Amino acid sequence: MVLSRFWLVIFISSIIFIVASLFTANTYTIDSVLNGKKDDPILVSEKYIEELPAFIKDSITKAPDQTMIVNRDTLNADTTYVYKNKTVKIFSGLQKSDGLLPTCKSTLVDLILPLIAYLAFFCGLMELLIISGASGNLAKALSPVFVKVFPSIPKNHPSISYMTLNFAANFLGLDSAATPFGLKAMESLQEINPDKDKASDAQIMFMCLHASGLTLIATSIIGYRAAANASNPADVMLPCIITSFIGTIAAFLIVGIKQKINFKSASLLIGLMGLIAAIVGLLMYVNHLDLIGKNYFTSNLSGLILLTIIIFTLIFSFRHEQKFKDANTTVFDTFVVGANNGVKTGVTIFPYVLGMLVAISLFRNSGLFEIISDGIGFVFSSMGVSKEITNALPVAMLRPFSSAGSRGFLIDSMNTFGADSLTARLSSIFQCSAESTFYVIAVYFGSVNIKNTRYALGTMLLVDLICVITAIFVATWFF
């Protein structure tokens, strides 16, 4: 209910501003609001030159400035190859327009349809884990820790295994897997929710931990910085992890205090220390690698983890085929049932996501966001805050609303101020260390038809603010 009123205020305010702009000769037009504008080319990959086909390798080394553009038909963007220091950066496509009409189209074509495909596949796997008993075993193993963090969840409840897989996928940058696992966790938590229209304590804790954005592998940020010719594209990796980790701890403490969780539990402390040790260990290893090595390690680790989950699920299911027979089904039929549930979930959340993204598009393209952003920047500048910091604030402001929108500001900051400027580095940390709060709320709470999110939105925005403040201090300290 609170969230719906917020978007209504944003929508009405933006429309009023658009109408006012038309009568004051403002540069904002109806066409720009409806259709948006195109942005910069997208970096799709970076490879050693030896990995490219021979004809491309020969052509690019002889091309002027060692840059080659492969022209496609008029309906597609060019593919550009840029050769430098034994590596080739490959650009293809353009950032999507963010006007109202392109937003409606891209929400369905570029977001919902791929999401439904991911949901179908991973929900099929989740159904196999449930029937085979693997999820129950995982829940039993992790119950000592989870019952301390989520005291309202019964011991060995299936939602524990779903949340574990969601956290692990987010930690390793597996967004395609994290969302289906998270939605399955919300559905499982909804089954034990006494008030179906109101978010439970467990759902709020899960949402806040999920949205705090703890991620070890930030390959996309490294890619954007590499595309902007940063001297060391991966130099923001450690600041991103530190900032997101502090955000996660803040989310846990804020919600934990609200829900009166016992922080002195031995199992809870052991779990936290284990997580910290894992992060430090991986950081120490990754920091010894060069840029290409880091990209290979992170992408291969993510892919290996995902492949391991899939193979383990299939092997475990076939080894326990008797359980499927006892349930009067087969492994394949169980997968199909789970996939069908995933498709239904995707269709359910589509209206929530569409309404939110259209409101964000109108808010941004109307010019109202720009005025608010400039006003906040002026206030901070008047307080003596460095201009390099205030120039990065638009990324922090837009990140809770739209990942794509904040990414556009990030790319613009690198192009305008230089990839190695404090502004660009701080913008990268903002982009990496937080989640798209309103998108997450719309998708996850919308999937279980919860209208009253209680204090979830306020807590998540507070955590976003903590991440912003932490990012400023960390960036200033490191750079």
Side-chain angles (χ1 to χ4, degrees):
M1 186 179 299
V2 175
L3 189 61
S4 300
R5 291 175 180 173
F6 175 84
W7 286 122
L8 182 61
V9 170
I10 290 292
F11 199 84
I12 294 176
S13 300
S14 300
I15 292 177
I16 292 175
F17 186 81
I18 292 172
V19 174
S21 299
L22 295 177
F23 289 97
T24 57
N26 198 293
T27 56
Y28 299 102
T29 65
I30 291 295
D31 182 69
S32 66
V33 172
L34 291 177
N35 297 305
K37 56 184 179 180
K38 296 180 180 179
D39 294 317
D40 296 329
I42 301 173
L43 177 68
V44 294
S45 66
E46 186 173 11
K47 298 183 178 181
Y48 289 113
I49 192 168
E50 291 79 8
E51 297 176 322
L52 297 176
F55 77 96
I56 294 181
K57 179 170 62 176
D58 294 337
S59 300
I60 194 173
T61 55
K62 299 175 183 178
D65 299 325
Q66 295 185 325
T67 299
M68 182 177 67
I69 299 177
V70 178
N71 294 312
R72 302 170 70 184
D73 59 69
T74 56
L75 296 178
N76 293 287
D78 297 334
T79 297
T80 304
Y81 297 84
V82 180
Y83 175 48
K84 184 178 180 181
N85 297 331
K86 298 182 181 181
T87 64
V88 178
K89 297 174 182 177
I90 304 174
F91 300 84
S92 183
L94 300 172
Q95 296 289 337
K96 298 296 182 181
S97 297
D98 54 4
L100 292 183
L101 299 182
T103 294
C104 293
K105 177 183 176 181
S106 63
T107 299
L108 176 61
V109 177
D110 300 322
L111 181 62
I112 294 298
L113 291 181
L115 179 59
I116 287 177
Y118 294 140
L119 286 172
F121 178 71
F122 285 105
C123 285
L125 291 181
M126 290 303 302
E127 196 68 19
L128 293 180
L129 291 172
I130 294 170
I131 302 299
S132 66
S135 62
N137 294 337
L138 181 60
K140 290 179 182 179
L142 296 173
S143 278
V145 174
F146 272 77
V147 294
K148 304 297 183 182
V149 180
F150 302 90
S152 61
I153 298 179
K155 189 176 180 180
N156 302 333
H157 192 266
S159 61
I160 295 176
S161 58
Y162 305 149
M163 288 188 287
T164 301
L165 292 171
N166 173 265
F167 293 146
N170 269 328
F171 185 72
L172 295 168
L174 300 172
D175 294 336
S176 59
T179 300
F181 293 149
L183 291 175
K184 192 67 179 178
M186 285 295 284
E187 291 176 4
S188 182
L189 291 172
Q190 184 71 350
E191 293 175 0
I192 57 175
N193 184 4
D195 190 342
K196 302 302 182 183
D197 291 330
K198 183 186 296 184
S200 66
D201 286 350
Q203 287 173 322
I204 293 175
M205 175 63 84
F206 168 64
M207 285 296 300
C208 291
L209 292 178
H210 167 82
S212 59
L214 178 58
T215 303
L216 177 69
I217 302 174
T219 51
S220 60
I221 298 298
I222 296 175
Y224 297 140
R225 287 182 50 74
N229 297 314
S231 57
N232 181 10
D235 61 5
V236 299
M237 194 169 182
L238 183 56
C240 285
I241 294 173
I242 293 174
T243 304
S244 63
F245 184 72
I246 291 176
T248 301
I249 296 299
F252 174 61
L253 291 176
I254 293 171
V255 180
I257 292 173
K258 183 77 173 179
Q259 298 180 1
K260 299 179 180 179
I261 290 176
N262 179 19
F263 294 105
K264 298 180 181 180
S265 168
S267 57
L268 192 59
L269 292 176
I270 292 174
L272 183 60
M273 292 300 104
L275 177 61
I276 294 175
I279 293 175
V280 172
L282 283 171
L283 277 177
M284 292 176 63
Y285 174 76
V286 171
N287 281 339
H288 286 85
L289 303 175
D290 59 19
L291 173 61
I292 300 297
K294 288 177 180 178
N295 287 340
Y296 277 139
F297 173 77
T298 54
S299 61
N300 288 337
L301 178 61
S302 300
L304 180 62
I305 294 295
L306 181 58
L307 187 61
T308 300
I309 292 174
I310 295 172
I311 293 176
F312 169 81
T313 302
L314 294 176
I315 293 177
F316 194 89
S317 297
F318 281 109
R319 282 179 59 86
H320 296 80
E321 194 170 4
Q322 184 60 44
K323 292 187 177 182
F324 292 87
K325 293 180 180 179
D326 294 340
N328 295 320
T329 185
T330 64
V331 173
F332 180 77
D333 289 340
T334 300
F335 177 85
V336 171
V337 170
N340 186 45
N341 291 333
V343 172
K344 292 178 180 178
T345 301
V347 173
T348 299
I349 66 178
F350 172 53
Y352 294 91
V353 177
L354 177 63
M356 180 205 63
L357 292 180
V358 167
I360 290 174
S361 174
L362 183 62
F363 178 50
R364 185 168 60 250
N365 289 319
S366 67
L368 184 57
F369 175 83
E370 184 178 349
I371 289 180
I372 295 175
S373 176
D374 290 342
I376 293 177
F378 175 77
V379 171
F380 277 91
S381 298
S382 303
M383 296 169 58
V385 178
S386 168
K387 187 170 178 59
E388 290 181 301
I389 294 177
T390 59
N391 287 334
L393 288 178
V395 177
M397 289 181 57
L398 197 57
R399 186 68 175 101
F401 294 92
S402 169
S403 175
S406 59
R407 181 171 62 243
F409 277 103
L410 167 63
I411 295 172
D412 181 69
S413 70
M414 290 190 290
N415 293 337
T416 303
F417 304 105
D420 292 322
S421 65
L422 177 60
T423 297
R425 282 168 165 158
L426 180 56
S427 297
S428 299
I429 301 173
F430 284 152
Q431 180 72 13
C432 176
S433 59
E435 184 60 88
S436 302
T437 299
F438 290 99
Y439 169 80
V440 168
I441 283 186
V443 170
Y444 282 74
F445 283 121
S447 67
V448 290
N449 296 315
I450 286 180
K451 304 297 189 298
N452 186 355
T453 61
R454 298 172 63 197
Y455 53 88
L457 176 60
T459 302
M460 291 164 72
L461 291 177
L462 178 58
V463 172
D464 287 336
L465 177 60
I466 292 173
C467 286
V468 168
I469 296 173
T470 303
I472 293 174
F473 279 105
V474 171
T476 305
W477 177 35
F478 269 81
F479 308 114

